[in-house]
Amino acid sequence: MRRWLLPVLVLVALVGAWQLAASSGALAGALHLEEFLVPSPAEIASALWENRGLLAENAWVTLREVLLGLLCALAAGLGFAVLLHLFETLRRAVYPLLVASQAIPILVVAPILVVWFGYGIGPKLAIVALICFFPIAVNALDGLRSVDPEAVKMMRTLDASRRQILWRVEAPTSLPYVFSGARIAAAVALIGAVFAEWAGSDSGLGHMILQDNAQLQTARVFAAVLVLAGIAIVLFALLALAERRIVTWR
Amino acid sequence: MAARTKGFAIADAAPAARQAPGVAVSLRGLEHSYGELRTIERLDLEAPAHGVLGLVGPSGCGKSTLLELIAGLQEPTAGDVELDGSRDRPDRLARCALMPQRDMLLPWFLAIDNAALSLRNRGVRRRQARDEAGLLFERFGLAGFERARPAELSGGMRQRVAFLRTLLSGKPVLALDEPFASLDAITRAEMQAWLAKALGQDPRTVVLVSHDVEEALYLSDRVAVLSARPGRVVEQLSAPAPRARDRDAAVTDPAFVAVRERAMQALRGTR
C-alpha cells in the first residue's frame, strides 16, 4: 500500500495540472492550437465512457491479435530455443542470423504483408508474432544455456537421458528467463498490433486511432490510447501472476 | 549422450535389503590434460570393493578431474580407469554416482524428489520413488523434511539430501567431491560422523576428495596425498584401524594424530 502512495500522488498531480492547463485554454494557447484539439482529462474520461461500446469492440479485435500473436511467438520461440540448444551446430549456424535479423524493421514490413495476406487477422498475427519471437527465443535460449554444468554432470551420473536433463534441469532453470522474454514480448506485441492495423485494417484500436485522428476526434484518440495502456498493464499483471504461481522456488 | 544405461535393477528391491555389489576402482598410469594444461600425471591408485579412498592435495591439483574420470564423465589422455574390470566410459557412468562440490539440489523439486532423482530418471513412478526415498529419510535423520523445499533446509540438511540422492542411485561406486566444504566446523564434524555411519549401514566403494586431511583420514581406509598440478601421488597412508565409534575420540587418538601429521607433512612438501 505504502509503495503505491507516492506514484499515485505524482499521477494525480500530473493529471490535475493537465486538467487545469487544458480547461483554462492555457495549453492550447501555448501550442497555438484550437482548444478542441487539446482535450482535458475530464473530456477524455467522458469520451471513454460515451464510446465504451465502440472502444470495447475495437479493443477485442486488437486484444485477439495480441494474444494469438503472442501465443504463436511463444510456441515458435520456445521450440526454436530448444532446437538450437539441443543442436550445437544448428545454434552456431542460426544464432548470428537471428541476432542480425533484428536489423530488419519488421513494423515497416507490415504494408507488404497486408498486400500479401489482405485485411484480415493474418498479417496482424504475422507482425505481432514476428516481433515477439525474438525476445522470447533469445531469452529462452539464454536461460537454457545458463544451467550450471555441475548439475548436468550430476544428472548424467544419475542415469538421466538428454531429455530428462532438458525437462528436469534446463527447462526449469530457463523459466524465469522465458518470463522476462514474455514481458518484453507483451509490450512490443501491442505496438506491433497497432502498426499492423495502421498498415491496413477495418477494425481494432489502431484503426480507430488512425480514423479519429484524421477526423480530429482527439479526445477519442486519447481514450483509445488509454485502453491500449490498460491492456498492456493487465497483460503484465497476468504474466507477473503466472510467474509467481509457476516459478515458486525463487 | 551415448551413455544411457538402465543402471542397476535395484529399484525394486527393498531398500533395507539392498546391498550394492562390491566394485573395485583401479587407476593405472593415468594421465589427463586439457589441451596444453597437464592436470594429472602417471597416477596409480586402487580402491578395493567397499573401501573408501581419500584424496587430499593442494587446490587445482586435478582432484575434481580425477572424480570425473572415475565417474565416466571424461576420458583419460593416457592410462586406464577401471571400475569392476571395465574401462568403458559408459560402464563407468553406469557404475558411479557423483556428488558435486556444491549440493546441486534442484530448487524446483521437494527434498524427497531431489533424493529420488535417480529413481525417477530410471523410470520409477513418483509414488514408488518417494516411498523408497522416504525410508532413507527416516533412517538418516531427515524425517519430516520430505516435503521441504531445498531453500528451506540448512546447509547440513542439504548435504544429507545430496548424499542420499547419490546413495539412492544404487551405484556401487560413489565419487564425493568435497562434500562438506561449505559447512561450518561443527556441522561438518556432525556430517562426517553421519556419513561414516551411513556408509557403515550401506557400504559402497567411495572415492572422497577433501581439502581437509582430518576429514579424509577419518572417513577413509586409505588416503592418497596428491601433488600440485599436474597431480600425482606423493604419499599413500593407511588410516589407523580400528577407529573409535565416536568421531571426536577417533580423531584425537594418538595413532590417528600421528598419521594426520604425516599426511600434513606430505601435503606441505607439495607446495
Side-chain angles (χ1 to χ4, degrees):
Chain A
M1 207 54 222
R2 258 288 193 46
R3 67 199 177 107
W4 290 107
L5 191 64
L6 278 176
V8 166
L9 279 179
V10 172
L11 186 67
V12 167
L14 282 174
V15 173
W18 180 0
Q19 178 69 38
L20 277 174
S23 58
S24 68
L27 194 54
L31 296 170
H32 305 292
L33 289 171
E34 299 291 338
E35 270 187 44
F36 77 96
L37 289 177
V38 189
S40 69
E43 283 164 337
I44 295 167
S46 80
L48 197 62
W49 178 249
E50 280 160 19
N51 298 290
R52 58 190 183 277
L54 186 67
L55 282 166
E57 219 171 89
N58 286 295
W60 171 238
V61 172
T62 304
L63 184 62
R64 222 173 45 149
E65 294 161 2
V66 165
L67 289 182
L68 289 176
L70 261 176
L71 272 181
C72 292
L74 262 179
L78 295 183
F80 196 71
V82 168
L83 270 180
L84 258 58
H85 179 65
L86 289 182
F87 302 102
E88 170 72 16
T89 319
L90 187 68
R91 187 180 63 78
R92 282 211 307 266
V94 175
Y95 190 75
L97 298 181
L98 182 68
V99 175
S101 76
Q102 285 309 289
I104 302 170
I106 292 168
L107 296 178
V108 181
V109 182
I112 302 171
L113 292 179
V114 172
V115 171
W116 287 354
F117 302 116
Y119 280 64
I121 196 171
K124 283 92 183 172
L125 283 191
I127 291 291
V128 172
L130 273 175
I131 61 171
C132 293
F133 174 79
F134 184 78
I136 290 172
V138 167
N139 272 283
L141 191 59
D142 283 354
L144 289 169
R145 288 167 60 79
S146 73
V147 163
D148 193 324
E150 292 289 306
V152 175
K153 284 177 193 162
M154 176 270 291
M155 277 295 270
R156 285 182 63 197
T157 72
L158 298 182
D159 297 321
S161 66
R162 186 70 193 85
R163 222 168 94 189
Q164 287 168 333
I165 291 174
L166 178 66
W167 287 118
R168 292 184 178 159
V169 181
E170 291 166 330
T173 305
S174 76
L175 263 180
Y177 290 75
V178 170
F179 271 108
S180 63
R183 268 198 301 274
I184 300 169
V188 294
L190 277 161
I191 301 172
V194 168
F195 259 80
E197 287 173 11
W198 286 358
S201 66
D202 46 23
S203 56
L205 288 173
H207 172 78
M208 195 179 156
I209 286 170
L210 205 60
Q211 295 237 308
D212 288 347
N213 217 33
Q215 293 163 15
L216 305 181
Q217 298 248 32
T218 50
R220 212 155 76 177
V221 171
F222 275 106
V225 170
L226 270 183
V227 174
L228 277 173
I231 291 176
I233 290 169
V234 170
L235 274 180
F236 265 66
L238 286 176
L239 277 173
L241 194 71
E243 185 170 4
R244 260 215 303 276
R245 293 291 290 270
I246 295 170
V247 188
T248 47
W249 56 89
R250 277 207 149 188
Chain B
M1 217 149 294
R4 197 186 165 195
T5 43
K6 275 286 150 199
F8 293 78
I10 297 171
D12 310 314
R18 174 200 290 174
Q19 191 73 269
V23 161
V25 175
S26 133
L27 314 172
R28 277 189 303 266
L30 195 66
E31 311 225 348
H32 182 268
S33 44
Y34 289 107
E36 290 289 289
L37 183 70
R38 295 168 59 108
T39 44
I40 293 166
E41 193 176 63
R42 292 192 311 278
L43 196 115
D44 295 285
L45 277 173
E46 298 273 341
H50 292 172
V52 181
L53 172 66
L55 299 171
V56 295
S59 14
C61 72
K63 289 173 293 190
S64 297
T65 307
L66 197 53
L67 290 189
E68 288 183 11
L69 286 165
I70 293 168
L73 292 166
Q74 290 201 45
E75 282 287 31
T77 316
D80 291 323
V81 188
E82 249 184 49
L83 265 66
D84 199 21
S86 171
R87 290 173 226 166
D88 259 16
R89 202 177 61 82
D91 282 346
R92 294 193 328 256
L93 204 48
R95 285 168 189 168
C96 179
L98 175 73
M99 179 175 173
Q101 229 172 79
R102 285 164 295 138
D103 56 63
M104 286 298 145
L105 296 183
L106 303 176
W108 40 87
F109 289 144
L110 303 178
I112 188 120
D113 292 330
N114 266 289
L117 209 50
S118 69
L119 301 175
R120 299 282 291 133
N121 286 343
R122 269 180 276 145
V124 177
R125 292 188 173 282
R126 191 192 323 231
R127 269 274 289 285
Q128 199 189 336
R130 281 183 175 175
D131 286 348
E132 194 168 332
L135 290 172
L136 287 192
F137 266 57
E138 278 172 29
R139 248 170 68 196
F140 291 116
L142 282 164
F145 290 94
E146 290 86 350
R147 301 203 149 254
R149 293 269 186 184
E152 297 161 355
L153 298 175
S154 68
M157 290 281 192
R158 293 174 65 100
Q159 234 45 41
R160 282 178 210 221
V161 176
F163 180 72
L164 287 194
R165 178 187 64 199
T166 320
L167 205 60
L168 274 162
S169 69
K171 304 214 171 171
V173 180
L174 310 182
L176 312 182
D177 195 353
E178 305 204 10
F180 310 130
S182 60
L183 303 177
D184 64 85
I186 293 170
T187 314
R188 194 148 148 192
E190 267 171 34
M191 287 301 296
Q192 289 165 1
W194 178 86
L195 181 63
K197 195 176 133 212
L199 286 173
Q201 291 185 15
D202 193 349
R204 308 285 171 101
T205 309
V206 175
V207 182
L208 167 86
V209 161
S210 177
H211 60 234
D212 179 345
V213 172
E214 186 177 280
E215 176 176 287
L217 272 174
Y218 169 65
L219 289 169
S220 314
D221 305 312
R222 282 164 78 73
V223 170
V225 179
L226 301 184
S227 69
R229 198 163 52 214
R232 61 200 158 66
V233 180
V234 175
E235 182 150 12
Q236 285 199 60
L237 300 154
S238 291
R243 259 163 296 182
R245 282 215 144 178
D246 177 59
R247 180 195 171 274
D248 296 340
V251 300
T252 47
D253 181 77
F256 186 95
V257 173
V259 181
R260 191 188 69 201
E261 283 316 303
R262 261 187 61 201
M264 286 298 286
Q265 232 157 37
L267 205 51
R268 270 186 214 110
T270 66
R271 309 223 298 176

